[in-house]
């Protein structure tokens, strides 16, 4: 289906009644065309210095497109109606003569050089020629995600943005792949760069008497213990990133509800993105680890808020639920979500759908991070290993309380 046809179908779908929206959305071919039209109309096309807020709005558009696959059509239409724009891709991005195919290694070298020099004229035909090759497309996605992964500007915004882009870039048409990739690169080029973080060399031995967990060292703002823990895992940076992600989740549950809590939510998206990347370089992975760890330590040292229980109480309540055979009605949001989790994955998925519907019915101005957190906390619950997966829906609830 052409771009014009996708746009026309999107307009028709938006004007349809809810049952018709659901019917059209359930058709796989129509859904792909609707997604294409929605993505095409919202490309951030500014050149030069990028606007961070507009970048966040575009990331919200990408995130809600990903989330839409788990929602009924009328809810998707409601979510998308708040984001309607007319920023169509330039003609030059749609009418491209592809380069002649080259060996994949040569194409990747040319790609890296063109990205480094911000050479759109070189990138357009190269991307178009590689977009039809599934393997080449995935190599582009992996290279670009890893390229920005260690940058801590705006708490890893580049990494979170490219993570959302990557999920869609893998499945869209070749033409849309080029447009989305150029738009993502323009955001990357136009944003400020974070200060480089010094990565400790080598693996530090942990003292036998050092019993502080990452969360405790963050809570007490104990930099020495914090760095000792991370350096002690210097040869296992993926495992260290997983521990940091878990500590961050528990930290969000304890943290006071203020602007900084939203910033911790940004770091959560950064680490969630990083943990889903294909890491092949130990050195690069260590740079990502210490970049994220340095950013997170800025928020260390806090007084636990009083409107939420601590981890011990949460864990005890969850255990009590497993022993309870008679359903009860609970008054606190955190109690209800733990009760929902105890009922199984289908009940939890239904809770997330109800939460999305509630959000769409009351949010006058959609938060730019709602859909990313909606998606990534579910993915963390389903795909990451470990005994504390149950905290991630609580993280979502803490960042986006029920009204």
């Amino acid at each position: 289906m052409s771009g014009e046809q996708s746009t026309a179908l999107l307009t028709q779908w938006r004007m349809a009644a809810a049952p018709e929206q659901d019917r059209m959305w359930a058709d796989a071919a129509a859904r792909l065309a609707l997604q294409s039209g929605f993505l095409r109309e919202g490309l951030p096309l500014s050149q030069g210095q990028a606007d961070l807020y507009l970048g966040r709005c575009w990331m919200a558009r990408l995130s809600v497109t990903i989330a839409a696959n788990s929602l009924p059509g009328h809810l998707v239409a409601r979510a998308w109606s708040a984001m309607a724009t007319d920023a169509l891709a330039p003609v030059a991005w749609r009418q491209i003569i592809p380069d002649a195919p080259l060996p994949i290694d040569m194409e990747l070298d040319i790609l890296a050089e063109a990205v480094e020099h911000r050479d759109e004229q070189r990138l357009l035909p190269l991307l178009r020629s590689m977009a039809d090759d599934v393997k080449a497309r995935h190599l582009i996605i992996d290279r670009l995600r890893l390229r920005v992964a260690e940058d801590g500007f705006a708490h890893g915004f580049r990494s979170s943005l490219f993570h959302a882009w990557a999920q869609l870039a893998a499945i869209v048409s070749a033409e849309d792949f080029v447009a989305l990739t150029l738009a993502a690169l323009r955001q990357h080029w136009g944003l400020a760069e974070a200060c480089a973080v010094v990565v400790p060399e080598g693996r530090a031995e942990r003292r036998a008497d050092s019993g502080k967990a990452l969360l405790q060292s963050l809570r007490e703002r104990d930099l020495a213990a914090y760095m000792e823990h991370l350096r002690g895992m210097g040869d296992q940076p993926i495992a260290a990133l997983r521990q940091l992600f878990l500590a961050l989740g528990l930290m969000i549950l304890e943290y006071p509800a203020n602007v900084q809590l939203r910033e911790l939510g940004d770091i959560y998206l950064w680490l969630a993105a990083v943990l889903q990347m294909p890491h092949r370089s130990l050195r690069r992975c260590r740079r990502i680890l210490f970049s994220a760890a340095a950013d997170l330590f800025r928020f260390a040292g806090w007084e636990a808020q009083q409107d939420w229980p601590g981890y011990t109480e949460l864990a005890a309540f969850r255990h009590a639920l497993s022993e309870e055979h008679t359903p009860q009605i609970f008054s606190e949001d955190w109690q209800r979500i733990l009760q929902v989790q105890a009922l199984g994955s289908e009940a939890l998925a239904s809770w997330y759908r109800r939460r999305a519907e509630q959000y769409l019915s009351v949010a006058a101005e959609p938060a730019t991070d709602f859909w990313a957190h909606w998606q990534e906390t579910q993915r963390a619950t389903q795909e990451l290993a470990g005994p504390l997966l149950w905290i991630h829906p609580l993280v979502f609830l803490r960042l986006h309380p029920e009204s």
Side-chain angles (χ1 to χ4, degrees), residues 100-346:
L102 295 170
I104 190 66
D105 290 345
M106 292 180 64
E107 289 183 324
L108 291 172
D109 288 343
I110 296 170
L111 174 76
E113 184 178 353
V115 171
E116 184 69 28
H117 292 93
R118 308 184 180 189
D119 187 348
E120 286 191 16
Q121 298 306 311
R122 189 71 193 88
L123 277 168
L124 281 168
L126 177 64
L127 288 172
R128 183 61 186 84
S129 71
M130 298 177 75
D132 288 322
D133 183 323
V134 174
K135 179 182 177 182
R137 187 187 292 209
H138 281 280
L139 286 171
I140 293 172
I141 290 169
D142 291 346
R143 293 289 179 95
L144 293 183
R145 290 175 72 192
L146 288 168
R147 188 183 187 93
V148 302
E150 67 195 72
D151 187 286
F153 173 73
H155 313 301
F157 172 71
R158 279 182 174 87
S159 192
S160 303
L161 176 66
F162 273 71
H163 175 58
W165 158 81
Q167 294 172 74
L168 292 168
I171 59 173
V172 296
S173 68
E175 187 176 293
D176 288 347
F177 173 80
V178 174
L180 289 177
T181 303
L182 259 295
L185 285 170
R186 280 192 178 183
Q187 290 294 302
H188 165 52
W189 294 331
L191 294 171
E193 293 186 12
C195 296
V197 172
V198 176
V199 178
E201 291 295 331
R203 181 182 186 276
E205 294 296 329
R206 297 185 63 188
R207 302 192 313 269
D209 61 347
S210 174
K212 281 190 181 179
L214 279 175
L215 180 65
Q216 184 181 356
S217 60
L218 283 164
R219 189 188 294 124
E220 298 174 5
R221 201 172 177 80
D222 187 339
L223 180 59
Y226 183 67
M227 289 301 296
E228 181 186 354
H229 188 109
L230 292 173
R231 290 191 64 195
M233 299 187 69
D235 56 353
Q236 305 173 64
I238 295 292
L241 281 165
R242 289 182 181 277
Q243 287 194 17
L244 197 66
F245 186 53
L246 179 59
L248 170 60
L250 294 169
M251 184 175 172
I252 287 172
L253 299 184
E254 292 189 6
Y255 219 79
N258 54 27
V259 174
Q260 289 188 320
L261 182 62
R262 311 302 304 183
E263 295 181 82
L264 289 175
D266 292 339
I267 301 177
Y268 182 94
L269 294 177
W270 181 12
L271 289 177
V274 163
L275 286 171
Q276 295 173 62
M277 291 180 185
H279 297 284
R280 299 183 182 89
S281 166
L282 184 65
R283 181 178 293 275
R284 183 195 292 272
C285 196
R286 281 170 54 81
R287 291 202 303 267
I288 297 170
L289 168 64
F290 284 99
S291 182
D295 194 28
L296 182 58
F297 195 78
R298 294 173 50 222
F299 301 89
W302 66 89
E303 292 292 332
Q305 39 66 41
Q306 301 302 315
D307 57 335
W308 265 61
Y311 166 73
T312 303
E313 186 177 346
L314 289 168
F317 181 82
R318 182 172 178 271
H319 177 72
L321 281 175
S322 67
E323 303 289 323
E324 180 62 56
H325 301 294
T326 304
Q328 297 186 42
I329 298 176
F330 297 103
S331 59
E332 299 292 339
D333 294 343
W334 62 268
Q335 293 174 323
R336 290 197 294 270
I337 187 56
L338 286 174
Q339 185 181 39
V340 167
Q341 286 193 74
L343 296 175
S345 58
E346 289 187 9

Side-chain angles (χ1 to χ4, degrees), residues 85-105:
T85 68
D86 56 1
L88 296 176
V91 174
W93 290 14
R94 302 194 299 261
Q95 299 177 354
I96 308 167
I97 299 175
D99 280 346
L102 295 170
I104 190 66
D105 290 345

